[in-house]
Amino acid sequence: MDKESQNRLEHFAALKSKYQATQYENSLPPSLLYLILRKLDLGIELLDLESNWLGESQLEETLEAIKQEQQYRLQEFGNLEFEFSKLKSKYKATKHNGSWRSSHLYFILLKLESGNFLTDSEVKWLRANSLYETNKIAQEVKLFSQLKSKYKATQYQDSYPDSPLYQILKKLELTERLSNSEYNWLINNELFETAEIFQQQESVKESHFAKLREKYQANLHSDLSLSSPLYLILQNIDAKNNLSELEINWLEQQGLSETITIAQELQQTREFAALRVKYKVTHYEDSSPKSHLYKILKRLEFSNQLGEQDINFIKKRKLTEIIEIANEKYASTLKSKIDLGELLNESEIDWLKNNRREDIIILAQQKHFAILKRQYRLIYLSLALEPFYAIMVKLEKKERLDPKLVLQLMEEELLSPGGKIALAYYRLEAEFYEQEFHRTGNKWDIPTASSYWRKADEPEQALKLTNLDLSQIRESKLKSAISVTRGAAFRDRDNLADAEICAKKAMEYHPDSHQPYTLMGAICYDKSDYPKGDYWYEQAIKRGAKPEDIDDDRKRVIRSTKDENKRHEAAEYLLKKDSQRYAWAKSYLKKSSDNGK
């Protein structure tokens, strides 16, 4: 018999023994039984034909053995599945859906459970499958193992990061103090070498604390324990950190004023060093915070400007770099202010002029001009910066405009009724003349101020100002002028009855003035009594009013009429009367027609 046949025969005999079929006589492969037993050994399910053959061959014990084997395998499969599920839960990998039979995850988790490190390829596999929490735990398991080795705690079996030992070892790594319960835990778990390392750390800290107390004049403090707040504060000072307000208050309460003084001097020295670098004066020899230069640089940090004495000090020591940096810094501050829409004050503008920063002045003016244009509803007009910026600034400051500037407004038609810039100008003039009247007692300022109040669209102010006992005024012309402007204010408020009373009184006071008659003409037009209005307008012309001025008044009356039908009616009347002279009225016919569509 050759070697291969011998091997097969021995294999067959082993399988028969395993599956309790030794009584089977045919012991020479190949045979049906050898085929069946080999399939079973490989975990391949038998066919019905094969199971029936075993029954017919009276191999009941073999069938029983096969049944037990299958039950065992099912149980083992279940055990493996259960263990895999527990590991997935423990290592935060439950979202992975792979089977334990085909996934790499089972092997990786078992490595972690046994305290072994993962290879780079295994870490990459976890990341590729979005198992980031599992990977994080793996890194902590690795760190835990390294810490156990470093702090002589390898005899402790648990490698999972939720172990109390892991938290203790991390504290030791940071040289943090252990609590009494943590120290006792080490002793109870017979981790004596680890506990000894902690004691060594504490001894080093105690020695360090003693040196810090000596160094920072804090030996008078009674609490020498490492848990004392003083230890942390002195460590902060030694680490060149600035003390907080709470720490300073605590030191004051403990009477450690010398410690505070040392800490503050060190802080100032650091600040001075940083400021010397910032302002390019590291070559300056005196580095003490008691130096006057430190005070200058400190002030400069908060104010952005140098005083005259500071400038003299700097120039004397040829530290002109400070002035250049300070000027640039202040200029940047002013730019930021402009960008935020804030206005520069006079001293800031003077500083820019003195330092030849016209670029920032122009920028400020342009930004402010844009704001004022929006405010005065002139954003869509293409106005030159000068003189219109100067005009708006004056109006904002409530300063009167000189005649030249008023002329500029008239040329650009910016004094038309209702415009915001016109209203602001007329209000200023009204206030000026009213103040002049109260200052000088000159009653001729009354009709002037009243007229401006009306133009400023504030007829109430005009009525308030002209509410006078005219019997106290001797001059007829003045009484007539006051009555006319008061009547016009009543007309502005659509109080035509009182307006007519004032107009007639004005005629009585000064029959030769055309103004009362012009007012009566406008009142009649307001009442739609156009022929009577024409009569009064003709009376005004007879008394010196220019025909073109009267026509302008008619135009103003129609333009200010709120009722479209009345406006249309007035326009038709004038066109019928003289279509050439009143050709402008056609536009009101068209507007009314368009609105009616």
Side-chain angles (χ1 to χ4, degrees):
M1 185 181 294
D2 60 20
K3 190 173 183 180
E4 184 181 348
S5 297
Q6 181 66 33
N7 289 340
R8 287 164 66 85
L9 190 60
E10 289 174 1
H11 183 228
F12 187 21
L15 290 174
K16 285 195 295 179
S17 175
K18 179 178 180 181
Y19 292 102
Q20 299 183 23
T22 52
Q23 75 273 28
Y24 189 71
E25 294 178 0
N26 186 2
S27 59
L28 292 172
S31 75
L32 288 174
L33 182 60
Y34 186 39
L35 169 65
I36 289 168
L37 295 183
R38 276 191 296 168
K39 286 181 72 175
L40 286 171
D41 204 45
L42 291 170
I44 300 171
E45 191 176 348
L46 295 184
L47 302 172
D48 291 342
L49 187 66
E50 294 165 333
S51 297
N52 293 337
W53 182 85
L54 288 171
E56 292 166 0
S57 302
Q58 298 180 347
L59 292 167
E60 289 82 3
E61 291 183 8
T62 304
L63 283 168
E64 184 61 28
I66 290 169
K67 185 179 178 182
Q68 290 177 358
E69 176 75 13
Q70 288 174 336
Q71 287 175 344
Y72 171 74
R73 283 181 180 171
L74 284 172
Q75 187 176 351
E76 279 301 294
F77 283 174
N79 290 340
L80 288 168
E81 184 68 42
F82 179 68
E83 287 173 10
F84 185 38
S85 177
K86 279 179 66 179
L87 288 171
K88 285 203 297 181
S89 178
K90 183 176 181 179
Y91 290 96
K92 314 290 184 188
T94 50
K95 63 181 179 180
H96 185 71
N97 296 319
S99 167
W100 64 268
R101 302 186 191 193
S102 57
S103 173
H104 295 303
L105 182 61
Y106 199 0
F107 178 77
I108 291 172
L109 297 183
L110 279 172
K111 280 188 79 173
L112 291 175
E113 185 70 1
S114 59
N116 291 309
F117 298 159
L118 300 187
T119 63
D120 289 343
S121 61
E122 288 164 341
V123 170
K124 286 179 182 176
W125 187 90
L126 289 174
R127 288 175 181 162
N129 286 273
S130 302
L131 295 169
Y132 303 113
E133 286 188 89
T134 309
N135 186 47
K136 184 181 177 183
I137 294 170
Q139 301 309 312
E140 292 206 61
V141 167
K142 183 177 180 180
L143 176 60
F144 190 10
S145 179
Q146 290 169 339
L147 291 174
K148 283 200 290 185
S149 176
K150 181 175 180 179
Y151 293 101
K152 304 187 185 306
T154 51
Q155 70 267 37
Y156 189 75
Q157 294 302 310
D158 188 1
S159 297
Y160 197 72
D162 67 353
S163 165
L165 179 60
Y166 184 44
Q167 305 308 318
I168 290 171
L169 296 182
K170 284 199 291 185
K171 276 192 167 185
L172 291 179
E173 183 69 4
L174 297 170
T175 66
E176 292 180 2
R177 292 198 81 238
L178 299 184
S179 66
N180 290 335
S181 61
E182 288 169 329
Y183 180 77
N184 291 334
W185 189 92
L186 291 175
I187 299 301
N188 293 336
N189 284 272
E190 299 182 358
L191 296 169
F192 303 118
E193 288 182 284
T194 310
E196 178 62 26
I197 291 171
F198 167 65
Q199 293 293 357
Q200 290 170 3
Q201 285 186 352
E202 291 295 279
S203 296
V204 171
K205 288 179 189 176
E206 286 168 359
S207 174
H208 182 231
F209 189 16
K211 289 177 182 176
L212 291 176
R213 292 198 306 272
E214 182 72 31
K215 182 177 181 180
Y216 296 109
Q217 304 292 306
N219 277 323
L220 294 177
H221 189 60
S222 57
D223 187 357
L224 305 182
S225 68
L226 295 177
S227 59
S228 168
L230 179 62
Y231 185 35
L232 285 175
I233 292 173
L234 296 182
Q235 282 179 300
N236 257 342
I237 297 172
D238 209 48
K240 299 181 179 179
N241 295 324
N242 296 340
L243 293 183
S244 68
E245 191 175 339
L246 284 174
E247 289 172 326
I248 293 171
N249 289 340
W250 188 88
L251 290 171
E252 285 176 346
Q253 289 167 8
Q254 307 305 312
L256 298 170
S257 56
E258 290 180 340
T259 307
I260 296 172
T261 302
I262 293 169
Q264 289 176 338
E265 284 180 358
L266 289 171
Q267 178 181 335
Q268 290 169 352
T269 301
R270 289 192 297 272
E271 286 178 349
F272 190 21
L275 290 171
R276 286 167 67 201
V277 171
K278 181 176 181 178
Y279 290 95
K280 299 180 181 179
V281 287
T282 50
H283 56 281
Y284 188 68
E285 291 180 2
D286 189 354
S287 60
S288 167
K290 294 177 181 177
S291 164
H292 185 62
L293 180 62
Y294 172 60
K295 295 174 184 175
I296 291 173
L297 298 182
K298 187 85 172 169
R299 280 198 299 270
L300 191 54
E301 281 295 284
F302 293 102
S303 68
N304 291 332
Q305 268 189 300
L306 293 169
E308 190 176 341
Q309 287 184 340
D310 293 340
I311 291 172
N312 292 335
F313 177 91
I314 290 166
K315 285 181 177 178
K316 191 175 180 180
R317 287 154 184 80
K318 298 180 180 178
L319 301 172
T320 52
E321 298 92 340
I322 297 174
I323 298 172
E324 292 171 9
I325 295 170
N327 285 351
E328 194 55 44
K329 187 181 173 190
Y330 186 54
S332 296
T333 302
L334 295 182
K335 275 186 182 178
S336 298
K337 187 176 179 180
I338 293 164
D339 290 336
L340 291 170
E342 296 179 24
L343 301 181
L344 301 184
N345 57 44
E346 291 297 329
S347 64
E348 289 168 338
I349 293 170
D350 288 342
W351 184 90
L352 290 169
K353 287 176 180 176
N354 294 335
N355 286 274
R356 299 177 181 177
R357 294 306 302 263
E358 285 78 10
D359 57 322
I360 299 178
I361 294 173
I362 292 169
L363 174 66
Q365 290 175 342
Q366 289 171 339
K367 290 271 186 180
H368 192 205
F369 188 38
I371 292 168
L372 291 175
K373 282 177 71 178
R374 276 196 297 274
Q375 183 177 320
Y376 287 102
R377 297 178 186 172
L378 302 172
I379 196 71
Y380 300 109
L381 288 180
S382 179
L383 298 174
L385 185 68
E386 292 301 335
F388 296 102
Y389 175 64
I391 289 172
M392 291 184 204
V393 168
K394 275 181 169 289
L395 291 176
E396 283 296 290
K397 291 180 179 179
K398 299 191 179 299
E399 294 178 6
R400 293 183 73 214
L401 304 182
D402 57 52
K404 224 176 177 182
L405 295 178
V406 176
L407 187 61
Q408 292 277 359
L409 290 175
M410 293 173 69
E411 286 176 356
E412 292 292 333
E413 298 183 354
L414 294 177
L415 290 182
S416 302
K420 288 205 78 176
I421 201 164
L423 293 175
Y425 165 69
Y426 291 134
R427 187 177 298 110
L428 273 178
E429 291 299 296
E431 287 172 347
F432 170 76
Y433 281 105
E434 189 167 333
Q435 287 166 6
E436 281 295 289
F437 161 63
H438 292 302
R439 185 179 68 85
T440 65
N442 181 7
K443 291 185 175 60
W444 274 104
D445 287 329
I446 294 172
T448 305
S450 174
S451 176
Y452 279 121
W453 278 125
R454 288 184 56 241
K455 289 178 181 178
D457 201 17
E458 295 187 47
E460 298 87 354
Q461 292 295 106
L463 290 172
K464 185 178 176 183
L465 178 64
T466 57
N467 188 17
L468 303 169
D469 181 3
L470 296 183
S471 64
Q472 301 297 315
I473 299 174
R474 293 181 182 179
E475 198 173 348
S476 297
K477 288 182 180 180
L478 177 56
K479 289 197 281 189
S480 177
I482 292 173
S483 297
V484 168
T485 189
R486 183 170 176 79
F490 276 125
R491 179 175 166 262
D492 292 337
R493 298 194 64 186
D494 296 326
N495 186 346
L496 300 182
D498 285 338
E500 189 171 338
I501 291 170
C502 289
K504 287 178 178 178
K505 278 185 179 179
M507 291 178 191
E508 292 175 13
Y509 291 136
H510 189 25
D512 294 334
S513 172
H514 63 81
Q515 290 176 336
Y517 299 91
T518 304
L519 175 59
M520 278 297 295
I523 293 168
C524 290
Y525 262 67
D526 286 338
K527 292 180 176 180
S528 302
D529 192 349
Y530 308 116
K532 195 170 182 180
D534 289 341
Y535 165 78
W536 289 113
Y537 279 137
E538 287 301 321
Q539 292 301 313
I541 292 170
K542 285 179 182 178
R543 287 162 177 77
K546 295 178 182 178
E548 56 267 29
D549 290 341
I550 294 299
D551 285 348
D552 285 342
D553 196 66
R554 285 190 175 99
K555 191 184 290 187
R556 277 193 297 274
V557 171
I558 294 175
R559 184 176 60 226
S560 62
T561 300
K562 296 171 186 175
D563 189 321
E564 289 180 11
N565 292 329
K566 284 180 70 175
R567 191 162 52 232
H568 184 91
E569 183 185 86
E572 277 188 334
Y573 170 79
L574 290 174
L575 287 167
K576 201 175 284 184
K577 184 175 182 178
D578 191 332
S579 60
Q580 200 166 8
R581 179 178 175 182
Y582 303 113
W584 50 265
K586 290 179 183 177
S587 61
Y588 294 101
L589 285 179
K590 185 177 183 299
K591 284 178 184 176
S592 299
S593 176
D594 289 346
N595 290 332
K597 287 180 182 178

